[in-house]
Amino acid sequence: MSQSASVWLVLLVALLAANLPFVNERLLAVLPLPGGTKRKNLAVRLAELVLLYFAVGGVGLLFEQRLGQIAPQGWEFYAVTAALFLVLAFPGFTWRYLLKHRKS
């Protein structure tokens, strides 16, 4: 896979992972909530967001390792990628918390 294709694939995975906590009511889209609760609260969604940030970082690291030597990164890299991940999560956050939903 070319470097350009792997960058676009990581961005697509990041976009999907950043919105995943906001579009479903299961833990990591797989496990049912403990205690029989029906809705996740914001703290759980943010914890999932942090976990998925590190998972997407692992995917990016895997692609970088397959392309060659892994470049050393400073704190600035992680600050920028975390901010980008939060920006990518904005559509899901908007859909979940800022739009009115009809009661079924």
Side-chain angles (χ1 to χ4, degrees):
M1 180 182 305
S2 71
Q3 184 176 3
S4 177
S6 64
V7 167
W8 283 107
L9 185 60
V10 169
L11 285 174
L12 179 64
V13 168
L15 178 66
L16 294 174
N19 288 294
L20 186 64
F22 299 106
V23 296
N24 65 49
E25 295 298 335
R26 294 178 154 264
L27 291 175
L28 299 173
V30 178
L31 304 170
L33 292 173
T37 58
K38 301 227 183 220
R39 296 188 58 121
K40 290 190 289 189
N41 60 15
L42 183 60
V44 173
R45 292 183 199 277
L46 292 178
E48 282 183 336
L49 200 62
V50 169
L51 184 66
L52 289 169
Y53 166 74
F54 287 113
V56 170
V59 170
L61 189 65
L62 177 72
F63 281 143
E64 187 177 10
Q65 184 179 18
R66 291 186 70 197
L67 288 173
Q69 184 177 357
I70 297 175
Q73 308 296 341
W75 67 269
E76 298 93 348
F77 171 79
Y78 297 104
V80 169
T81 56
L84 175 65
F85 201 72
L86 288 175
V87 168
L88 291 175
F90 187 70
F93 178 84
T94 301
W95 181 78
R96 173 62 61 190
Y97 292 109
L98 300 180
L99 294 179
K100 278 190 174 181
H101 297 282
R102 294 180 189 258
K103 301 278 183 187
S104 310

